[in-house]
Amino acid sequence: MQAGEAGAKPVQGAALPLDNVVNLRDLGGLATRDGRRVRAGKLFRSGNPACASAADLALLRALRLDMVIDFRSSGEKSPQERAFGEAFRWVATPVLEGSMSMAELMPRMLGGSPAQMEAFMLEVYGDFPRKYQAAFGGFLKAAEAGGNLLYHCTAGKDRTGFASLLLLAGLGVDADAIMANYLASNHWNRDFNARMSARAAEGGVDPEVMRPLLEVKAAYLEASLHAIERDYGGMPAYLADVLAVDVRRLREAYLAE
């Protein structure tokens, strides 16, 4: 897999611009190694959709979502999100419980350096396949049902990015296309990242220290891939033997001829 520039314009993944929901993309159109493509209008990834505007909610309802999977922990949520839960089948599948709350991250950033924050993110990605098998395996088992599925975390880049790696690998999407889809978060989250950086700066955090937490890097996803290869013998074995995923069902549900 090749690294892309942080601000590079993505070449894959159809974005759906909303008022209050960042990084919402349809995975439809991504090509598989055997020449098929992911069906459009079936699989969506995004940042937190729960504070959607009225217009956003109308668009999301038009997607006819069967399920929304939320990788955030309880500490990342707010009471204002209740209306979204009443509108959709919203399933909590927490990953990194406590680790991504501002109460946890702020002391790290105030006392840390950019290199330390990057090391933290590499550790997080290395932990994804080891420590969160139940959450990500449950996500993929839900996908096997073949419904219209939206999955998200806060910014739609790290937990959602790893989930996309697993899902797209199971569908047989080319490795370079998976990486390009992952790195595209830097483009779609550009304004969101600027707002988050400015807010953190008001609290005394150096924007350069926060940058490794806001951006995605090829090295992050590669840390997950290295862990899967080293500890489990590669992606096919990890999906089949560790997560018990039926890739045949995934492909029947989500690939077009």
Side-chain angles (χ1 to χ4, degrees):
M1 293 186 178
Q2 302 298 317
E5 296 182 5
K9 186 174 180 179
V11 296
Q12 303 199 54
L16 288 75
L18 273 69
D19 296 329
N20 296 338
V21 182
V22 300
N23 207 4
L24 174 60
R25 287 181 270 151
D26 185 343
L27 298 182
L30 291 174
T32 64
R33 293 185 299 274
D34 61 1
R36 302 174 73 186
R37 290 192 178 273
V38 179
R39 295 180 188 275
K42 298 289 293 182
L43 294 168
F44 302 90
R45 55 174 295 175
S46 77
N48 177 25
C51 293
S53 68
D56 293 344
L57 284 173
L59 186 148
L60 290 169
R61 287 192 181 96
L63 300 180
R64 300 185 180 278
L65 299 170
D66 295 293
M67 184 183 296
V68 178
I69 293 182
D70 183 358
F71 293 121
R72 297 176 305 154
S73 63
S74 57
E76 299 173 76
K77 303 177 185 181
S78 69
Q80 289 74 28
E81 300 178 358
R82 188 174 297 111
F84 185 86
E86 294 171 352
F88 298 93
R89 183 186 175 198
W90 197 19
V91 179
T93 308
V95 174
L96 298 174
E97 187 80 38
S99 300
M100 303 306 284
S101 68
M102 287 309 295
E104 169 69 20
L105 291 176
M106 187 60 78
R108 282 183 180 271
M109 292 187 291
L110 287 170
S113 67
Q116 288 172 322
M117 293 302 98
E118 182 164 338
F120 168 70
M121 293 303 295
L122 290 169
E123 180 181 356
V124 164
Y125 274 78
D127 283 344
F128 279 153
R130 301 188 190 102
K131 294 186 176 181
Y132 303 101
Q133 295 168 8
F136 290 114
F139 157 69
L140 291 171
K141 296 305 286 186
E144 282 181 21
N148 293 359
L149 181 65
L150 168 65
Y151 56 100
H152 72 92
C153 49
T154 296
K157 65 184 186 71
D158 298 316
R159 290 162 288 190
T160 300
F162 179 71
S164 297
L165 164 67
L166 298 178
L167 177 59
L168 294 174
L171 291 173
V173 172
D174 177 77
D176 288 341
I178 294 174
M179 182 61 83
N181 185 267
Y182 170 75
L183 292 172
S185 285
N186 287 330
H187 175 82
W188 299 118
N189 277 351
R190 188 168 49 199
D191 292 343
F192 173 81
N193 289 349
R195 292 194 301 271
M196 293 296 293
S197 182
R199 189 179 306 169
E202 292 173 358
V205 174
D206 182 345
E208 291 304 307
V209 172
M210 192 174 189
R211 186 185 301 275
L213 301 180
L214 293 175
E215 295 182 347
V216 292
K217 299 183 179 184
Y220 294 168
L221 201 62
E222 287 165 356
S224 296
L225 288 164
H226 291 160
I228 289 170
E229 185 68 33
R230 182 178 61 248
D231 296 346
Y232 307 104
M235 184 64 76
Y238 183 72
L239 292 174
D241 301 335
V242 179
L243 301 186
V245 177
D246 187 338
V247 296
R248 178 188 56 82
R249 290 189 65 192
L250 282 179
R251 293 171 183 174
E252 287 177 351
Y254 295 117
L255 294 184
E257 296 297 336

PDB file of all heavy atoms in Angstrom, residues 71 180 253:
ATOM      1  N   PHE A  71     -19.156   3.135  16.848  1.00  0.00           N
ATOM      2  CA  PHE A  71     -17.969   2.627  17.524  1.00  0.00           C
ATOM      3  C   PHE A  71     -17.521   3.508  18.687  1.00  0.00           C
ATOM      4  O   PHE A  71     -16.519   3.198  19.334  1.00  0.00           O
ATOM      5  CB  PHE A  71     -16.815   2.496  16.523  1.00  0.00           C
ATOM      6  CG  PHE A  71     -17.019   1.437  15.474  1.00  0.00           C
ATOM      7  CD1 PHE A  71     -17.018   1.778  14.130  1.00  0.00           C
ATOM      8  CD2 PHE A  71     -17.201   0.117  15.817  1.00  0.00           C
ATOM      9  CE1 PHE A  71     -17.190   0.811  13.150  1.00  0.00           C
ATOM     10  CE2 PHE A  71     -17.378  -0.862  14.853  1.00  0.00           C
ATOM     11  CZ  PHE A  71     -17.370  -0.513  13.519  1.00  0.00           C
ATOM     12  N   ALA A 180      -6.337   4.162  -0.333  1.00  0.00           N
ATOM     13  CA  ALA A 180      -6.792   5.449  -0.845  1.00  0.00           C
ATOM     14  C   ALA A 180      -8.083   5.887  -0.163  1.00  0.00           C
ATOM     15  O   ALA A 180      -8.250   7.065   0.174  1.00  0.00           O
ATOM     16  CB  ALA A 180      -6.994   5.365  -2.361  1.00  0.00           C
ATOM     17  N   ALA A 253     -23.883 -10.164  -0.911  1.00  0.00           N
ATOM     18  CA  ALA A 253     -24.754  -9.054  -0.511  1.00  0.00           C
ATOM     19  C   ALA A 253     -24.343  -7.727  -1.128  1.00  0.00           C
ATOM     20  O   ALA A 253     -25.191  -6.903  -1.476  1.00  0.00           O
ATOM     21  CB  ALA A 253     -24.766  -8.938   1.011  1.00  0.00           C
TER      22      ALA A 253
END
